[in-house]
Amino acid sequence: MHARVTTIQMDAGRIDDAVSQLEAEDIPRWKEIDGFKGFTLLVDRQSGKVIGTSFWESKETMDASEEAISPSRERAAETGGASAPPAVERYEVAVDTMA
């Protein structure tokens, strides 16, 4: 399994708007993408730091999803009043106890 980690520094007062948009518009579309395994969102409501991690069946399906996922990142940053562009990192998942 592989994971794409996106970090966004948002306006703390706009986190709920970004979360609502994510749940209503983006996650339902992601569920239709080949290889999508799940998503976890961590938020620090004091600092406005948001970390989203999407999980993918393989590196190939993660890479293939990039074009479909990229607009969601940009939309989240805009809705959340981000102070900088999203930072994106990609990893192989070595241990997963949530399955």
Side-chain angles (χ1 to χ4, degrees):
M1 183 162 44
H2 281 72
R4 182 185 299 114
V5 179
T6 301
T7 304
I8 305 174
Q9 187 62 50
M10 293 186 176
D11 174 332
R14 294 172 63 178
I15 288 175
D16 287 335
D17 294 335
V19 170
S20 293
Q21 177 181 309
L22 179 74
E23 290 179 313
E25 297 176 28
D26 296 312
I27 293 174
R29 282 192 294 239
W30 299 350
K31 288 179 178 180
E32 297 175 6
I33 299 173
D34 183 46
F36 178 77
K37 302 295 281 181
F39 182 76
T40 299
L41 186 69
L42 308 172
V43 301
D44 181 330
R45 293 185 182 278
Q46 282 193 312
S47 72
K49 185 175 184 178
V50 176
I51 302 171
T53 305
S54 59
F55 297 93
W56 301 90
E57 187 175 286
S58 67
K59 181 181 184 317
E60 292 75 24
T61 57
M62 180 178 69
D63 291 346
S65 73
E66 188 63 41
E67 189 174 320
I69 297 295
S70 182
S72 297
R73 277 196 297 269
E74 301 307 319
R75 211 171 18 257
E78 183 178 323
T79 301
S83 58
V88 182
E89 300 172 290
R90 293 157 187 84
Y91 299 94
E92 177 183 347
V93 177
V95 176
D96 172 27
T97 64
M98 293 178 61

